[in-house]
Amino acid sequence: IRAGRSALLTASAIGIGVELFQTTGIPRAIASEIALSRWVLGAGYETSDLPMYPIGALLAWCVHATLRRRPDTTTEGSPSA
């Protein structure tokens, strides 16, 4: 759980950091030269995006935790195709 919490906080911090970086205008300038950078850095700041990073990280953590709890359904000795 501790590693999951660290991943959740790290993902949230990176997303919020990138969003706040957009306030500088640098990502917009880079995007005007390198179009694909818009996919990584975005191009404009949007306040409503800020809470979405922790929400998305929490949802990803919940999915991960749920999948880790599922029993292993592989069987030993089964022929592989």
Side-chain angles (χ1 to χ4, degrees), residues 4-75:
R5 190 177 326 142
S6 294
L8 189 147
L9 292 174
T10 301
S12 297
I14 290 170
I16 290 170
V18 168
E19 190 69 30
L20 292 175
F21 181 55
Q22 292 173 1
T23 63
T24 67
I26 295 171
R28 185 181 309 262
I30 293 171
S32 69
E33 298 294 323
I34 305 167
L36 291 177
S37 70
R38 177 177 242 127
W39 286 89
V40 176
L41 299 175
Y45 174 77
E46 186 66 44
T47 305
S48 63
D49 288 348
L50 291 175
M52 296 305 142
Y53 296 109
I55 290 170
L58 180 62
L59 288 173
W61 180 81
C62 289
V63 169
H64 175 73
T66 301
L67 293 176
R68 283 192 60 172
R69 289 190 192 122
R70 293 177 60 195
D72 187 9
T73 57
T74 60
T75 57

